[in-house]
C-alpha cells in the first residue's frame, strides 16, 4: 500500500530499524498532546499505525512477541493510548469475527489475552463483545455479566435518585434559596458552596435544579457578581452546561412570548464578561434569527426610499398612503430582540469587545438604530471621555454633570492622555447619526476635537506625530457621527456654530471631503437620514416657491432654520433653481443672511460641486457661447461671496486646477468674484469719460472709471486678497491665465467655432487684467515681489508673453521707483544745508525722480536683453523698450476733465442734500462731510498726478536721445517699434490702446531723434486687413480705440493749419532728409512736410482705411465682418470724414445688413447699429475738395525730393520688375539710404494710382469713391446716370483720337530715353545749367506727365526741372506695369469683372493722357481764366471716362443683384428711367461744351508741334 504507515519493509527489518521507525512515528503523533487527551488530528495517525501493526501481527508478518513489546512501549507514551488501543482492538475484533479465517482469529485472541494487562480490563469491558471477553477470560460468564449490565443501566437512567421539582422537595430548595439570599458581596463563596452541597446531599436535590436557583438568585442580586461568579466557578465549571441552562431560560421567554427581563441579560453579560460563558455558544439560543433581522432592516430601508420617492411626486389616490401605513405597522410592531438586549447589557457593563461582536453579527446599522443600544453606547463613550473632557474640554466656570464611571475590571479603561483617545473615537464611530440622541455627548466630542486640533497645530517645532492616529480617528468621527447627527437635530443653530468651530480648523480640502461624504453617502446609508433628506427637500421646494423680493426676510428665516440641519440638501435644490432662473439670484442672496458659518461653508462646497458636475454641458447647443447655467452660477458666486464672509480658497483653487487641465470656462466665476468683491470691472462698453478716468489716480478710477460705484468693498477686497495670497494662488492664477491665453488659439482644433475660441481668449485676457489690477491696488511691494518671479524668468521659464509679463511687473516697477524717490527725498529733508526756493525745490524733486529711475531701471534693462534677439536691439534700445512697457497712461496724461466732472458731481450731490428736507440733519451732515472729503482727496490726487507727469516728462526728455540708434534706418526702427511695442500692447486693454496712441504722440513731441512720426502713422493706417482679421471681439474693440486715438491726433492737425505749424512744422518726425545735387557738391538737407501735403496724406490714409475695411466687409468671414463693424463703430468720430468714402461704407454695410438679417443675428445687429450711427454722422462729412486741396504749389521739399529721385532713383526704378510698383506706391516705402520718409511721394503716387481707371480694385472701384478719387479737381462726384450718358457721348470721339494719341505717346517715349541717357552722361554736372539748356523743350512734356501721374492729389506741377519729368515718367511706367500685373492676376483667379476690353482700356488711357497734356499746355499759356476752362474741361473729360467705366461695372453689379433680389433690381431700374429723362437735357448741353473743348485741344496740339519743330 502506497499510503500504509507500517509497510512490509518495516516488518522485514523490524528488529533492525522497523521498530525504531514505528516508535518514532508514534512519538511524533503524541508529542503535541496534553494530559487531557489526544487531539483528534494526532489520534487519527496513531490509530492507523496501531491498526496496521495489529494486522501485520495477525498475518504473521511480525511476531506476536515483537507486537506486544511495541504495544507496551506505546502505553508508556501517553495515558490516553490504552483507550485508543481498546478502540482499535474492538474494531479488529468485529472484522475477525466476520471472517472465516480461524488462524487469524486465534492469533487475535492470543494477542488480546496477552495485552489485557497493558490496556486494562475496565476498558475492555466497555468496548469488547461478550463472547470475546469470555474467550480471553476477562469475564467468567457472559450471561451473568449481561444481566448485571441491564440492571445497572436501568438504575442509572430510569430510576429517580434526586428531586428536581420544588414541590417534590420544597424544604430543601427553600433552604438553598435562603442560603443564597443571605449572602453579601464580601461573603466567602466557599462557605456558601459547602452549605449548598450539604443541602443537596441531605434532601437529594437535583444539582441542575440547584444551578438554576443559583442563576435566579444572581438575577435578583446582580451587584453581587463577584460572589455568584466565584460560586458558579466552584459549583459547576462546565461552560456548556451553564450555556444550556441560560439558553433554556431565553427560549422559554421566546416560546411564551414574554418580554425577556433585563436581569437575565445582565447575568448573561456578567458571565460572558468573566469568561464563564462563550458568546458563540449562547448566540444560537437567542431570538430572533439573523435572517429575520436582516429582512426587517431591508424592509425599513425600502420603506424609507418609498417615502422619499412619494415626497417628490404628486399622489392623487390614497392607495399609496395605505400601503405605506401597512409597511409602517409591520416595521413598528414590537419584537423582543434578545440579541439586542444582550448587546445593551454588555454596553452597560462596558464590555465593548463582546458588544462589538454582537453588533458585527447583525446587519449594518441595525443594532445602533435601536434607541436603547444607541443610548447605552452614548453613555459608554461619555464615561470614557469624561476624565479628559473635565481636564481639557470643559469651559471654565461650567458645572459638570456626573456621568459615573466604569467599575468593572473587565470594562474599557478611560484614556488618561489626548494621544490615547483613538480607540474611544473608534467606539463612537459606531454610533453614526444616532449620536443625536445625546446632544451633550456631541458638545463634549466637539470641544475635545477643538483641543486636539489646537495641540496639533500649535506645537512648537512642527506637528506632533503622536497625535496623527487621534487626528485620523477624529476625521472619521466627524464624517460618520458629528455631521450626520447634525442632520437629525432640527433647528439648533448653537450646535451648528459649535460644529463650525471644530470643522474650520481643518484645511478646506478636508472640509469639502467631509461635506461630500455627508451629502452624497451618509444620506443613503441610514433610513432616518433618507426620510430627513426627503422632508428637507420638500420644505426647500415649499420655501423657494414662495420666495419673492417682498418676503425675503420671512422666507430667509425659514431657509436659515432649514440650513442648520440639512445644508447640503437645501443648497443643492437652491443652486438648481438659480441655474434655471437667473432673475432668482438677488432674492436668494438677500435671504441667506440668517445662515450659520457652517452653512456658508457647505454652500461654497455645493457651488464647486455644481460647477464640476460632468453631466452638464458648459456650452450651448451651437457651441459658440457659454451655457446660461454657468453664467447664472457665476453671477450668484460674485454676489454671495461679496455679501457674506465665506472662504474663497476652495473656489479659487478649483479655478486654478481647471486652468492646469486646460479648461478656461470657469474663469467666468473668477471674473464675477473679482468684479463684485473689489469693484474692478473689465468691459469693452466703457465710455470715453470712463477711460479717461481710468488714467487718473485710484480714487478717480473708483469714482468715475466703472459703471457701478465702488462702495463698501474694503472688507470684501481684503478677504479676496487673503484668499489669493494663501498657497500663492494670486501669482499662480495670473501665470496660468497668461499661459492659457496663449494656448487657446493653438489648442482648439478646426472643429471649434472661431467665435468660441475668441470668447475664451477674451475671457482669459479680461480676467487676467482684472486680477492684475486688483493685485496692483491691494498688494504692497513686499508681497508683490515675494510672490512674483523675475521678469526674464516669467518669459523664458514660464513661457509668458512679454505683454503679460510686463503687465504683472509694471506695478512693482512703478512702486520701486516711487519708493526710491521717497527715500532720496527723505535724505534731502535731513540735509539742513539744502535751502532753496520753490522753483529750485521743484527742479530738485525732478532730479531726484530721475535718479530714482536710473537706480531702478538698469537692472530691468539687463534682464530684458535676453527677451529679444540682438537684431531688435540694433533698431531700438532696451531702455526705450523698458520705458515703453513700464509706463502707463497715468504717467503721461492728467485727466483734468475727469477730475473736474467728478468734483462737479460731488458739488451737485451736496446741493441735492441741502434741498432734501426729509433727511435727518445728522445723516445729512455726515453725508456732506463724506462728499467734501472725497472732493478734497480728488483735488490732492490731481495735484500729485500733475507733479508726477511733469517728472516723467523730464525723465523722458533726458532719455529720448538714446532711444533709437543712428545706424538704423527709420523704416526698420518703426517696424520693430510697432511689432514689439505698439501692436502687442494696444490690444491688451482699452487703457493700453489709448496709452499707445499717447506714447507715439509723446515721442513726437519730445522731438526724438531718428524717429519718423509720419512713417509711424503711415504704417499704422497702411493696411489693417490682416490685423482686423486676426483679432478677437474685444481685441477688435481695443484696436478700434487705438486707431481712433491715432486718428484724433491726425485730424486735429489736419483741421487747423496753425496747430499743424505749431506742433509739427519744426519737429523731426515730419522731416524729410534727402541728398540733393548742388553746384558741384552734395549736402544733406532737411525739409518739413507742408500743411497741404499733409492734408493729401490724411486723405490717402482715409482712402487706405476705406479700402482695407471694405475688403474685410466683403470677405464673407464671420470674424472679419464682426471685427470690422466693431472697429468702424469705435473710429466713427474720425472716420470716414470724406463723403464719397462714407457712401462706399454705407453701401457695403447696407448689403451686409440685408444678407445677414436671417443668417447671423449678431452681425445684423452690429450692422444696424453702425448704419444708424453712420447716417447721423453724414452732416459732419466733407466733400473731397474741402478735405484737401487738389492743386497746390510745389514746396521746397517737393523740389528736393524730385531732384534726389532724378539723380539716384530713376535708373534703379527702370530695372525694377513690375511687381515692385506696389511697394513704391506705399507711404511706408521709405528710402533707407538717404533717410527720406517717402510719405509725400507715396501720397502723390497713390493719387495717381487712385485715378488710374484700368487698375482692378475689388473694394473701391464699384462705388462713387472711384470717380471721386480719379478726378483732378475737388468737385462733388457725378451721379450714375450722368456718368453713363457722358461716357456714351464721348466714346466715339475718344476712339477716333486714339491713333493720334499713340503717335504722341511714341514721341514722348523717345524723348524720355534721350533725357535718361543725357542725365546719366552728365550725372556730376550742375543741375541748373541743365535746366536752362532744355527747360523750354521739356516743359510741356513734364507738364503732361506730371498731370497724368499726379492728378488725384491736385498738386501744381513745376515744369522747371528735367529730373522732375524723369521721376514722373518712372512713376507712370511703374503704374502701367502694376496695372498689367493686376489684370493678369485677376485673369488667373477667374475674375470676370472687367470694365472694358484691352483695346478699349488702352484707347481710354491714351485719350485721358492727351486731354491732360492739352489742358496743361493751355494752363501754361493762358491767364487764370484759361486755367479755369482747362480745369473744367479736364474735369468733364475725366468724368466722362470714369462714368463710362462705372456704367459697365454697375451693369454687372445690377445683374448680380437681380439674381439675389429681384425686387431691388426692379426698383433701381424704375429710378434709373426717371433720372435719365431729367438728365437728357443736361447731356445735350454737355455735348456742346465738349465740342468746343475739342476745338481748343486741336489748337493746343498745333501749337505744341510748332514748338517741337523749333
Amino acid at each position: 500500500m502506497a499510503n500504509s504507515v507500517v509497510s512490509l519493509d518495516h516488518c522485514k527489518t523490524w528488529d533492525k530499524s522497523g521498530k525504531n521507525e514505528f516508535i518514532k512515528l508514534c512519538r511524533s503523533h503524541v508529542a503535541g498532546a496534553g494530559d487531557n487527551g489526544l487531539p483528534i488530528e494526532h489520534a487519527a495517525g496513531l490509530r492507523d499505525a496501531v491498526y496496521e501493526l495489529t494486522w501485520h501481527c495477525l498475518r504473521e508478518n511480525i511476531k506476536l512477541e515483537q507486537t506486544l513489546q511495541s504495544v507496551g512501549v506505546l502505553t508508556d507514551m501517553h495515558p490516553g493510548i490504552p483507550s485508543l488501543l481498546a478502540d482499535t482492538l474492538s474494531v479488529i475484533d468485529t472484522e475477525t469475527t466476520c471472517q472465516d479465517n480461524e488462524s487469524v482469529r486465534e492469533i487475535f485472541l492470543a494477542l488480546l489475552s496477552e495485552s489485557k494487562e497493558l490496556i486494562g480490563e475496565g476498558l475492555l469491558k466497555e468496548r469488547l463483545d461478550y463472547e470475546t471477553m469470555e474467550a480471553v477470560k476477562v469475564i467468567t460468564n457472559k450471561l451473568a455479566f449481561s444481566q448485571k449490565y441491564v440492571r445497572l443501566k436501568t438504575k442509572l437512567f430510569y430510576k429517580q435518585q434526586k428531586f428536581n421539582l420544588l414541590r417534590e422537595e420544597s424544604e430543601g430548595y427553600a433552604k438553598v434559596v435562603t442560603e443564597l439570599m443571605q449572602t453579601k458581596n464580601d461573603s466567602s463563596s466557599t462557605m456558601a458552596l459547602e452549605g449548598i452541597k450539604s443541602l443537596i446531599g441531605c434532601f437529594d436535590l437535583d444539582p441542575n435544579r440547584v444551578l438554576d436557583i443559583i442563576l435566579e438568585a444572581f438575577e435578583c442580586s446582580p451587584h453581587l457578581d463577584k460572589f455568584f461568579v466565584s460560586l458558579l466557578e466552584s459549583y459547576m465549571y462546565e461552560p456548556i452546561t451553564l450555556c444550556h441552562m441560560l439558553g433554556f431560560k431565553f427560549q422559554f421567554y421566546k416560546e411564551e412570548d414574554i418580554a425577556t427581563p433585563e436581569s437575565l441579560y445582565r447575568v448573561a453579560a456578567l458571565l460572558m464578561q468573566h469568561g464563564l460563558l462563550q458568546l458563540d455558544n449562547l448566540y444560537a439560543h437567542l431570538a430572533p434569527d439573523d435572517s429575520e433581522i436582516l429582512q426587517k432592516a431591508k424592509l425599513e430601508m425600502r420603506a424609507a426610499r418609498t417615502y422619499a420617492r412619494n415626497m417628490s411626486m404628486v399622489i392623487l389616490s390614497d392607495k399609496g398612503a395605505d400601503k405605506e401605513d401597512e409597511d409602517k405597522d409591520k416595521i413598528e410592531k414590537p419584537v423582543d430582540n434578545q440579541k439586542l438586549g444582550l448587546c445593551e447589557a454588555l454596553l452597560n457593563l462596558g464590555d465593548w469587545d463582546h458588544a462589538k461582536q454582537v453588533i458585527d453579527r447583525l446587519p449594518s446599522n441595525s443594532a445602533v438604530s435601536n434607541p436603547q443600544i444607541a443610548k447605552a453606547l452614548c453613555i459608554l463613550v461619555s464615561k470614557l471621555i469624561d476624565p479628559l473632557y473635565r481636564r481639557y474640554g470643559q469651559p471654565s466656570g461650567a458645572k459638570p454633570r456626573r456621568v459615573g464611571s466604569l467599575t468593572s475590571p473587565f470594562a474599557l479603561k478611560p484614556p488618561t492622555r489626548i494621544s490615547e483617545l483613538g480607540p474611544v473615537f473608534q467606539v463612537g464611530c459606531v454610533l453614526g447619526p444616532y449620536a443625536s440622541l445625546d446632544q451633550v455627548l456631541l458638545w463634549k466630542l466637539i470641544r475635545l476635537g477643538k483641543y486636539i486640533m489646537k495641540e496639533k497645530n500649535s506645537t512648537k517645532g512642527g506637528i506632533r506625530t503622536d497625535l496623527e492616529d487621534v487626528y485620523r480617528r477624529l476625521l472619521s468621527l466627524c464624517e460618520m457621527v458629528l455631521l450626520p447627527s447634525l442632520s437629525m437635530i432640527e433647528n439648533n443653530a448653537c450646535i451648528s456654530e459649535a460644529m463650525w468651530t471644530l470643522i474650520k480648523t481643518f484645511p478646506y480640502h478636508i472640509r469639502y471631503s467631509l461635506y461630500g461624504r455627508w451629502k452624497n453617502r451618509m444620506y443613503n446609508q441610514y433610513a432616518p437620514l433618507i426620510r430627513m433628506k426627503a422632508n428637507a427637500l420638500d420644505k426647500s421646494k415649499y420655501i423657494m416657491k414662495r420666495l419673492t423680493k417682498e418676503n425675503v426676510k420671512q422666507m430667509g428665516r425659514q431657509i436659515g432654520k432649514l440650513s442648520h440641519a440639512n445644508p447640503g440638501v437645501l443648497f443643492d435644490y437652491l443652486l438648481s433653481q438659480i441655474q434655471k432662473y437667473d432673475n432668482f439670484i438677488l432674492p436668494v442672496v438677500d435671504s441667506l443672511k440668517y445662515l450659520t458659518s457652517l452653512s456658508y461653508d457647505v454652500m461654497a462646497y455645493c457651488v464647486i460641486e455644481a460647477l464640476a458636475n460632468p453631466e452638464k454641458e458648459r456650452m450651448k447647443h451651437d457651441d459658440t457661447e457659454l451655457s446660461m447655467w454657468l453664467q447664472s452660477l457665476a453671477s450668484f458666486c460674485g454676489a454671495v461671496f461679496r455679501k457674506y464672509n465665506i472662504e474663497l480658497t476652495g473656489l479659487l483653487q478649483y479655478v486654478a486646477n481647471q486652468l492646469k487641465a486646460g479648461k478656461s470656462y470657469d474663469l467666468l466665476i473668477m471674473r464675477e468674484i473679482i468684479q463684485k468683491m473689489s469693484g474692478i470691472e473689465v468691459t469693452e462698453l466703457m465710455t470715453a469719460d470712463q477711460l479717461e478716468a481710468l488714467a487718473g489716480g485710484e480714487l478717480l478710477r473708483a469714482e468715475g472709471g466703472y459703471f457701478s460705484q465702488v462702495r463698501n468693498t474694503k472688507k470684501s477686497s481684503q478677504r479676496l486678497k487673503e484668499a489669493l495670497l494663501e498657497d500663492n494662488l494670486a501669482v499662480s492664477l495670473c501665470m496660468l491665465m497668461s499661459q492659457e491665453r496663449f494656448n487657446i488659439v493653438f489648442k482648439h482644433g478646426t472643429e471649434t467655432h472661431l467665435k468660441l475660441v475668441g470668447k475664451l481668449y477674451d475671457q482669459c485676457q479680461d480676467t487676467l487684467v482684472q486680477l492684475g489690477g486688483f493685485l496692483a491696488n491691494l498688494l504692497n511691494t513686499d508681497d508683490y515681489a515675494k510672490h512674483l518671479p523675475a521678469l526674464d524668468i516669467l518669459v523664458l521659464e514660464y513661457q509668458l508673453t512679454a505683454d503679460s509679463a510686463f503687465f504683472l511687473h509694471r506695478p512693482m516697477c512703478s512702486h520701486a521707483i516711487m519708493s526710491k524717490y521717497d527715500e532720496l527725498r527723505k535724505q534731502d529733508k535731513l540735509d539742513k544745508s539744502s535751502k532753496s526756493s520753490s522753483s529750485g525745490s521743484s527742479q530738485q524733486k525732478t532730479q531726484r525722480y530721475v535718479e530714482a529711475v536710473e537706480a531702478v531701471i538698469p537692472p530691468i534693462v539687463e534682464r530684458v536683453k535676453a527677451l529679444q534677439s540682438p537684431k531688435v536691439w540694433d533698431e531700438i534700445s532696451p531702455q526705450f523698450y523698458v520705458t515703453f512697457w513700464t509706463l502707463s497712461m497715468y504717467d503721461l496724461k492728467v485727466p483734468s476733465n475727469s477730475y473736474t466732472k467728478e468734483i462737479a458731481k460731488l458739488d451737485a450731490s451736496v446741493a441735492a442734500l441741502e434741498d432734501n428736507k426729509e433727511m435727518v440733519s445728522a445723516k445729512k451732515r455726515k453725508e456732506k462731510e463724506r462728499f467734501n472729503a472725497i472732493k478734497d482727496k480728488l483735488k490732492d490726487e490731481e495735484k500729485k498726478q500733475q507733479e508726477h507727469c511733469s517728472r516723467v516728462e523730464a525723465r523722458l526728455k533726458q532719455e529720448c536721445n538714446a532711444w533709437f540708434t543712428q545706424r538704423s534706418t527709420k523704416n526698420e526702427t518703426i517696424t520693430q517699434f510697432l511689432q514689439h511695442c505698439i501692436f502687442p500692447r494696444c490690444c491688451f486693454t482699452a487703457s493700453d490702446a489709448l496709452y499707445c496712441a499717447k506714447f507715439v504722440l509723446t515721442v513726437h513731441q519730445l522731438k526724438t531723434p531718428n524717429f519718423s512720426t509720419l512713417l509711424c502713422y503711415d504704417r499704422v493706417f497702411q493696411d489693417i486687413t490682416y490685423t482686423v482679421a486676426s483679432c478677437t471681439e474685444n481685441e477688435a474693440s481695443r484696436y478700434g480705440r487705438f486707431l481712433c486715438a491715432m486718428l484724433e491726433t491726425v485730424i486735429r492737425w489736419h483741421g487747423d493749419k496753425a496747430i499743424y505749424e505749431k506742433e509739427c512744422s519744426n519737429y523731426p518726425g515730419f522731416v524729410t532728409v534727402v541728398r540733393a545735387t548742388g553746384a558741384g557738391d552734395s549736402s544733406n538737407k532737411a525739409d518739413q512736410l507742408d500743411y497741404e501735403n499733409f492734408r493729401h496724406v490724411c486723405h490717402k490714409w482715409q482712402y487706405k482705411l476705406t479700402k482695407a475695411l471694405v475688403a474685410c466687409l466683403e470677405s464673407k468671414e464671420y470674424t472679419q465682418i464682426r471685427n470690422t463693424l466693431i472697429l468702424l463703430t469705435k473710429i466713427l468720430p474720425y472716420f470716414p470724414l470724406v463723403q464719397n468714402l462714407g457712401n462706399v461704407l454705407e453701401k457695403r454695410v447696407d448689403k451686409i445688413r440685408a444678407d445677414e438679417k436671417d443668417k447671423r443675428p449678431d452681425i445684423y445687429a452690429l450692422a444696424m447699429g453702425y448704419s444708424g450711427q453712420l447716417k447721423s454722422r453724414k452732416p459732419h462729412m466733407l466733400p473731397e475738395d474741402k478735405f484737401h486741396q487738389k492743386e497746390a504749389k510745389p514746396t521746397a521739399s517737393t523740389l528736393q525730393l524730385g531732384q534726389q529721385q532724378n539723380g539716384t532713383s530713376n535708373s534703379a526704378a527702370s530695372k525694377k520688375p513690375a511687381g515692385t510698383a506696389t511697394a513704391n506706391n506705399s507711404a511706408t516705402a521709405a528710402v533707407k539710404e538717404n533717410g527720406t520718409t517717402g510719405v509725400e511721394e507715396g501720397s502723390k503716387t497713390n493719387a495717381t494710382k487712385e485715378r488710374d481707371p484700368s487698375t482692378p480694385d475689388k473694394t473701391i472701384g464699384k462705388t462713387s469713391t472711384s470717380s471721386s478719387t480719379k478726378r483732378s479737381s475737388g468737385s462733388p462726384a457725378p451721379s450714375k446716370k450722368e456718368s453713363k450718358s457722358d461716357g456714351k457721348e464721348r466714346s466715339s470721339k475718344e476712339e477716333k483720337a486714339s491713333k493720334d494719341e499713340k503717335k504722341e505717346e511714341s514721341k514722348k517715349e523717345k524723348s524720355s530715353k534721350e533725357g535718361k541717357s543725357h542725365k546719366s552722361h552728365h550725372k556730376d554736372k550742375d543741375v541748373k545749367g541743365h535746366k536752362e539748356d532744355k527747360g523750354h523743350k521739356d516743359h510741356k512734356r513734364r507738364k503732361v506727365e506730371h498731370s497724368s501721374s499726379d492728378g488725384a492729389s491736385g498738386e501744381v506741377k513745376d515744369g522747371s526741372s528735367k529730373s522732375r519729368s524723369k521721376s514722373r515718367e518712372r512713376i507712370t511706367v511703374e503704374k502701367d506695369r502694376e496695372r498689367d500685373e493686376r489684370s493678369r492676376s485677376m485673369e488667373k483667379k477667374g475674375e470676370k469683372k472687367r470694365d472694358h476690353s484691352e483695346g478699349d482700356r488702352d484707347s481710354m488711357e491714351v485719350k485721358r493722357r492727351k486731354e491732360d497734356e492739352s489742358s496743361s499746355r493751355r494752363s501754361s499759356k493762358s491767364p487764370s481764366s484759361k486755367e479755369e476752362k482747362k480745369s473744367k474741361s479736364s474735369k468733364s473729360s475725366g468724368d466722362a471716362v470714369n462714368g463710362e467705366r462705372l456704367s459697365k461695372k454697375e451693369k454687372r453689379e445690377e445683374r448680380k443683384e437681380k439674381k439675389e433680389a429681384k425686387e431691388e433690381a426692379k426698383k433701381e431700374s424704375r429710378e434709373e428711367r426717371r433720372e435719365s429723362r431729367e438728365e437728357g437735357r443736361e447731356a445735350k448741353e454737355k455735348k456742346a461744351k465738349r465740342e468746343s473743348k475739342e476745338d481748343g485741344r486741336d489748337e493746343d496740339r498745333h501749337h505744341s508741334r510748332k514748338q517741337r519743330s523749333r
Side-chain angles (χ1 to χ4, degrees), residues 1329-1362:
H1330 184 74
K1331 288 182 180 180
E1332 290 175 357
D1333 293 338
K1334 294 190 177 183
H1336 187 70
K1337 182 179 178 180
D1338 297 333
H1339 175 72
K1340 296 298 179 182
R1341 186 176 59 208
R1342 285 199 307 272
K1343 233 5 179 174
V1344 172
E1345 296 302 325
H1346 183 64
S1347 62
S1348 64
S1349 63
D1350 205 19
S1353 63
E1355 296 180 359
V1356 178
K1357 310 302 184 290
D1358 184 19
S1360 62
S1361 173
K1362 183 180 177 181

Side-chain angles (χ1 to χ4, degrees), residues 933-963:
I934 294 175
K935 184 168 64 173
D936 295 339
K937 289 180 181 179
L938 284 174
K939 292 179 180 179
D940 294 339
E941 191 176 73
E942 182 181 10
K943 183 178 178 181
K944 289 180 181 179
Q945 188 175 1
Q946 288 174 350
E947 296 175 354
H948 175 74
C949 288
S950 63
R951 291 193 294 266
V952 172
E953 183 179 0
R955 164 200 169 183
L956 297 180
K957 286 181 180 179
Q958 184 173 342
E959 292 180 358
C960 65
N961 294 326
W963 280 351

Side-chain angles (χ1 to χ4, degrees), residues 724-744:
L724 287 170
L725 291 180
E726 188 174 350
D727 298 331
N728 200 18
L729 278 175
V731 178
S732 300
L733 283 170
C734 290
M735 295 169 62
L736 287 170
M737 280 187 279
S738 301
Q739 294 170 353
E740 182 67 15
R741 183 176 71 101
F742 180 77
N743 296 332
I744 279 176

Side-chain angles (χ1 to χ4, degrees), residues 909-921 924:
S909 300
V910 173
L913 282 177
E914 295 293 342
D915 297 336
N916 191 351
K917 305 300 182 181
E918 298 179 357
M919 184 177 293
V920 183
S921 59
K924 185 184 296 185

Side-chain angles (χ1 to χ4, degrees), residues 3-7 47-57:
N3 298 326
S4 61
V5 179
V6 182
S7 62
R47 188 183 297 109
D48 294 340
V50 174
Y51 179 81
E52 292 183 10
L53 176 65
T54 305
W55 271 108
H56 281 297
C57 179

Side-chain angles (χ1 to χ4, degrees), residues 215-229:
L215 293 176
E216 293 284 349
F218 196 2
E219 286 186 51
C220 296
S221 302
H223 57 283
L224 302 176
D225 53 338
K226 293 181 179 179
F227 169 77
F228 284 104
V229 168

Side-chain angles (χ1 to χ4, degrees), residues 1191 1251 1270-1273 1275 1282 1286 1290 1294 1347 1407-1420 1422 1424-1442 1485-1498 1500-1501:
E1191 293 182 357
R1251 200 183 66 169
K1270 292 170 188 174
R1271 290 193 295 274
S1272 60
S1273 64
S1275 59
E1282 183 180 352
D1286 291 347
R1290 295 176 56 188
E1294 288 172 352
S1347 62
K1407 179 69 175 177
R1408 182 181 59 78
R1409 292 180 180 177
K1410 181 179 178 182
E1411 291 172 355
D1412 293 340
E1413 183 181 6
S1414 62
S1415 63
S1416 64
R1417 271 194 236 109
R1418 203 177 295 119
S1419 64
S1420 63
S1422 61
S1424 60
S1425 62
K1426 291 183 177 181
E1427 289 181 348
E1428 292 176 1
K1429 292 180 180 179
K1430 185 267 299 182
S1431 62
K1432 291 180 180 179
S1433 63
S1434 61
K1435 170 187 173 183
S1436 60
S1437 61
D1439 292 345
V1441 175
N1442 296 335
E1485 297 175 359
K1486 289 181 181 179
K1487 185 177 181 181
K1489 289 180 182 180
R1490 280 194 296 272
E1491 289 176 355
S1492 63
K1493 290 176 184 177
E1494 289 295 328
D1495 296 337
R1497 290 190 187 117
D1498 293 338
D1500 292 339
R1501 293 191 195 102

